[in-house]
Amino acid sequence: MAETHDETPVFSEEDDHRAVYIFNPRAGHHTSLAQEKTARPVKKRRVSSKRAWSASAADHAGAVPHAEEETKTTTTAAAAFSQLFGGKESVEAAGLRRQVFDTAWPVLDGRIKNVLREANRTTLEDVSSFIRDAEGDATRGTRIPAGFIITGPNIASQDVLFEQLSEALGKATQARFVRLRAAGAPNLKAALKKVIRDATAQVSLDGGDRDEDTEVALGRDGRKYLDYDLEGLQAFFGAQQDSSRRVVVAFEDSEAFESSLLTDLLGLFHSWQGRIQFSVLFGIATSVELFQARLLKSTARQLFGAKFDVVQADLVLDNVFKSAIAGTQATLRLGPTLLRSLLDRQRDQVAGIRVFISSIKYAYMCHFYANPLSVLLADEKSLTRQLLQPEHIQAVRTLDSFKAHVEAAVDARQLKHAQLLVEDDGYLVRQMVEQRQKKQDYLMQLLRSLHLLTSMDLVPGRFTDLYVAALAGGLDLTPTIDGIKRLGADDVPALINRLLTAIRTGSPDLDLPGWEDEAEELISSLCEIRDEIEALAEQAQEKGQQALKSKFTAQSKVLRTTVIAQKVQLSQDTAKLTDEDKAFGKAIDALVDLLTHHIYSDPVDSLFLHEAWAYDTEAPYRDVFVPRPGTTFERALTRPHAYLGCECCSKANGTLSATLPTTCILYRLYLETGSLVNVADLWSAYYALVGEDSVDGGLGEREALVQFYHGLAELRLMGFVKSSKKKADHVAKVKWLL
């Protein structure tokens, strides 16, 4: 609360001889410089965070109870989301949306981290063992231990791998881990600076690289070394009394480094191998042979290497998808349109797995922050009838799923149900509560069907594609049924055994438990079909028949040749089937009917109130993760009327006019120039268009010059021009219109 002072300070005569005085309204009088100097507060003493925390805890311990409750209420209110419905949403409802988000995302985040950790576990153990055992290997001599990690073409997705390698090698070998990228090490000096800086864990005070050669003190005697001198690193290890003196240098995108730079670095490491134990790791996208061909033979002989294969990015993406999006622990379901965009970007733009995880979290944040109906995802204890406002009921009645549900009830002649949904708020709330269980039943049926479908190994597509297709239009069993009909008598029992195993064990990736108790009828029917087919195969074998055939297999079709009037005619006929073959065909039909009855799913948008627990908005995601500022700037500069909506710009009709904003005029002149733009010529062309002698004219020279510099500064701010070192009176053109 602001302080108010009724008394106004009055200027006294004794202040007349002073050249300067300080006006201090809080003190209620004038303070001279001498008085201000003596009244200066004592410099605050810096305390550690631990001591500050203890003092804060002591203060809270001595506070009165009502003060603690007031602080807690204030913190909760500040942490809640914005109140929606035009500010009519209650604070409790907004806070509950934030609480649901804070509860839902950490669960998924933990599962994602566990998936990433498990995906690279084998590689981490193998690389750690190699680096640890290489120190005591006498056969390598002075050669440098080198690990060639085949990461595949998606280098961006392996950032997590090298982070995990840094932690694993630091624990297993007590070595200092340094990561090098081609963009951060363009030459030998920069690479050595990066190695020494990261190995010694010392960073310059300004936090960045300096152009001049700085000196650092690393030894016991305080001797200073240049920051790219490896002797300084040796002195640092001596001062730290580190007997191992081990440094692991990882070239993440090794194929992006110049061959000469790699040769110089490896040669330098080899010459220091007796004083500093260097080990190197290379992230390779192609093959070890192609990478070795880029090195000199003398450099290759200095390496003592081993090759390691990592889990490919597509497999890691599928595992993260199952855990974070399709798994039973996912509170929010992402819609098919958004999922298809996310997957296409991962495959087309070769984005890293962290970008995919950030996209999932951003979708969660958008849904819970901007959708007031996301409060319905709270548990039954938190979501009470009093928490639901009339605005929530009205919002539900405006949903497309509500309208479709009412229309379906009318078509089914359930008129009383449809009328109560529209008129009775209490009845609608009860239907909303019942829909929570229907949502769980739908998701469980979807995941179980997908798990059974993938366990049959008859569908060539990925799980991600099947999941997206199931959400968009339901499950299509046509390819699976065709594959089952073409199976032989030996393959069908194996297929049924896989289905039985899937039902009993469930799917750990999806966090889907087994449902053997709920599928007793299905299990019994599958076992009967399996036993029947095995018995038919034994009977056919006893009669000397090689294999069972059915009306669906290719062996049941024969090619008949007929000669009529010296012309050969070919026709297809059905081979004669035995009684066992006919019984086998009936068993296949029974199996297909059984699976069709139990493996099914409806589109996600066919469910009532799916807008509360499914997020399928693509626009916010595109604006954040696939931004197009260049296109936006170009459209704004060429067609300003689309943004300003003014009549003066609409008269231009795509031509150059003096009524356009200055920046738009300069941009059109900019498109007609070459790589260097003469500022004087640009000014002359601009003033000829907007000056007093122009057709539409009216601007004076001084006013036009001010607007000209303003517009040129905006072009520079948007990245279209920059200063030119070749000619002082020119600016360089940065972008060209394609």
Side-chain angles (χ1 to χ4, degrees), residues 551-564:
K551 58 183 178 181
F552 307 111
T553 58
Q555 291 81 2
S556 64
K557 305 294 182 181
V558 295
L559 194 64
R560 184 182 299 276
T561 304
T562 307
V563 179
I564 302 176

Side-chain angles (χ1 to χ4, degrees), residues 29-42:
H29 60 278
H30 308 299
T31 306
S32 64
L33 288 178
Q35 294 173 343
E36 184 68 21
K37 184 175 181 180
T38 57
R40 181 177 299 174
V42 181

